[in-house]
């Protein structure tokens, strides 16, 4: 499995996204993904599926140390004591003694970032997480976070796919040694109807979705596609037996726009997920 290295973390280039996967379906998909070769699973306390993700991990029979497990703390729990409690609760649900990566899920303007990062770094030093990072952080927030954190921040997990230009925040995060983990990398299924991706895919014997994912991993961007269908687990994983030419990379790169965002959300303290 190819990995991206960042501040000592080795993050497998493909992971399974699990947002919206619940119950038996979630446990089965995680188990099956690991059997197929996935070695990276992305969850969050907000997804309400950490228990099932843990079940899937154990059912797969793959050794714990071979799988990279990420979870995330919801912003309503960013006050230091709550953050610590929240990290411990996630471990209890996952039935793990530590996660590989613990992220701040969305910025929370209501709680000083210095306090939240202090608590996140402490959780790492206490051995609850091997690595820590952020998600949905802008260029300005990445700079601020790096200055405030006493431990390295190894990634910024953000929305990235062929239809969205994220070049500025990608460059800012990489300048600070952070890996980019792309969420919604198949644009919630939108890749499959794109004509350019379909044409390029035809030339390589690949689907449009595979081309869009390959375009990301070929730039060392980690992808965490989600699917609820076992057959698509294999499709989304088969990205390393072909290569896009420079011309193909450029043509696909031209599909992006500044307003191609799918996830239109900002944490405002709303009780929606509390
Ligand atoms: N940090 C954050 O704030 C944040 C935000 C959003 C997501 N995430 C993480 O990123 C993961 C992925 O993002 P996402 O779930 O938003 O979107 P995504 O992975 O881009 O898209 C998932 C959707 O695309 C479909 N799909 C998957 N593979 C496909 C393929 N090969 N061909 C056609 N359709 C395909 C799936 O349908 P089927 O189920 O029918 O296959 C599903 O409806 C999440 O699950 C979560 O772990 C993080």
């Amino acid at each position: 499995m190819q990995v991206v290295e960042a501040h000592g973390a080795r993050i497998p280039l493909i992971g399974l996204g699990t947002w919206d996967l619940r119950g038996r379906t979630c446990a089965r998909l995680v188990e099956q993904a690991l059997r197929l070769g996935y070695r990276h699973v992305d969850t969050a306390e907000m997804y309400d599926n950490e228990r099932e993700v843990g079940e899937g991990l154990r059912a797969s029979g793959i050794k714990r140390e071979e799988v990279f497990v990420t979870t995330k703390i919801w912003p309503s729990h960013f006050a230091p004591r709550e953050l610590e409690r929240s990290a411990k609760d996630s471990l209890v649900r996952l039935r793990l003694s530590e996660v590989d990566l613990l992220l701040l899920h969305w910025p929370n303007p209501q709680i000083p970032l210095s306090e939240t990062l202090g608590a996140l770094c402490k959780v790492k030093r206490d051995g609850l997480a091997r690595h820590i990072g952020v998600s949905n952080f802008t260029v300005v927030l990445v700079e601020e976070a790096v200055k405030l954190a006493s431990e390295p921040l190894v990634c910024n997990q953000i929305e990235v796919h062929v239809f969205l230009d994220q070049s500025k925040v990608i460059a800012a995060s990489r300048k600070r040694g952070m890996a980019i983990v792309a969420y919604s990398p198949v644009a919630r299924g939108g890749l499959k109807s794109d004509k350019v991706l379909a044409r390029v895919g035809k030339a390589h014997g690949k689907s449009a979705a595979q081309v869009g994912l390959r375009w990301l991993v070929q730039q060392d961007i980690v992808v965490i596609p989600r699917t609820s269908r076992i057959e698509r687990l294999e499709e989304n994983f088969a990205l390393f037996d072909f290569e896009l030419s420079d011309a193909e990379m450029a043509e696909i790169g031209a599909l992006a726009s500044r307003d191609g965002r799918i996830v239109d959300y900002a944490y405002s303290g709303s009780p929606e997920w509390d």
Side-chain angles (χ1 to χ4, degrees):
M1 166 56 70
Q2 296 197 33
V3 298
V4 168
E5 300 206 30
H7 295 296
R10 291 170 52 81
I11 311 176
L13 261 173
I14 304 183
L16 177 69
T18 66
W19 173 67
D20 217 23
L21 299 177
R22 297 277 159 74
R24 283 296 311 144
T25 308
C26 178
R28 230 165 37 87
L29 278 154
V30 170
E31 175 186 352
Q32 196 57 31
L34 293 170
R35 293 206 167 148
L36 284 171
Y38 285 69
R39 289 295 178 267
H40 173 182
V41 182
D42 181 85
T43 182
E45 66 167 318
M46 189 272 262
Y47 301 169
D48 193 21
N49 64 11
E50 289 172 310
R51 231 173 271 283
E52 289 77 12
V53 166
E55 271 171 34
L57 287 173
R58 287 185 295 282
S60 73
I62 306 292
K63 285 190 192 136
R64 166 66 188 98
E65 60 271 24
E66 288 180 21
V67 186
F68 192 95
V69 180
T70 300
T71 196
K72 317 184 194 81
I73 297 180
W74 192 245
S76 58
H77 299 146
F78 279 6
R81 270 206 200 134
E82 287 202 47
L83 187 147
E84 216 170 313
R85 175 82 265 149
S86 170
K88 284 180 182 160
D89 288 349
S90 283
L91 292 177
V92 168
R93 287 188 292 268
L94 285 158
R95 285 179 54 195
L96 296 177
S97 57
E98 61 174 12
V99 286
D100 297 278
L101 182 56
L102 183 64
L103 304 179
L104 301 180
H105 203 148
W106 283 89
N108 180 350
Q110 292 159 349
I111 298 179
L113 189 55
S114 57
E115 290 179 18
T116 302
L117 280 169
L120 187 69
C121 292
K122 179 173 182 298
V123 157
K124 184 196 166 200
R125 283 194 300 274
D126 288 348
L128 278 59
R130 289 178 58 224
H131 304 283
I132 53 172
V134 295
S135 179
N136 297 299
F137 271 40
T138 59
V139 172
V140 171
L141 281 173
V142 164
E143 281 303 309
E144 204 180 323
V146 167
K147 277 190 200 117
L148 292 169
S150 56
E151 301 283 336
L153 300 172
V154 308
C155 93
N156 191 8
Q157 182 180 127
I158 50 175
E159 179 177 340
V160 193
H161 45 74
V162 298
F163 304 130
L164 178 62
D165 178 6
Q166 290 279 47
S167 49
K168 285 191 177 149
V169 67
I170 290 174
S173 306
R174 285 188 161 160
K175 198 171 106 195
R176 296 304 187 171
M178 297 159 96
I180 300 300
V181 177
Y183 74 66
S184 307
V186 284
R188 297 255 164 102
L191 298 189
K192 74 171 186 267
S193 49
D194 185 82
K195 289 197 181 106
V196 172
L197 299 178
R199 172 169 44 75
V200 172
K202 207 166 170 203
H204 291 277
K206 292 283 176 179
S207 69
Q210 287 173 316
V211 170
L213 290 170
R214 173 72 205 184
W215 184 79
L216 294 170
V217 298
Q218 204 163 308
Q219 299 174 70
D220 276 341
I221 294 175
V222 177
V223 294
I224 47 169
R226 161 185 55 109
T227 181
S228 56
R229 304 193 203 182
I230 301 272
E231 67 275 15
R232 279 187 175 155
L233 285 175
E234 227 163 323
E235 177 183 345
N236 293 345
F237 194 67
L239 309 179
F240 296 105
D241 54 357
F242 74 114
E243 194 169 348
L244 299 170
S245 68
D246 290 347
E248 288 167 333
M249 289 295 286
E251 188 181 7
I252 296 164
L255 298 174
S257 71
R258 296 295 299 275
D259 59 0
R261 199 175 288 280
I262 294 171
V263 177
D264 180 19
Y265 177 80
Y267 180 76
S268 61
S270 113
E272 193 181 354
W273 303 108
D274 284 352

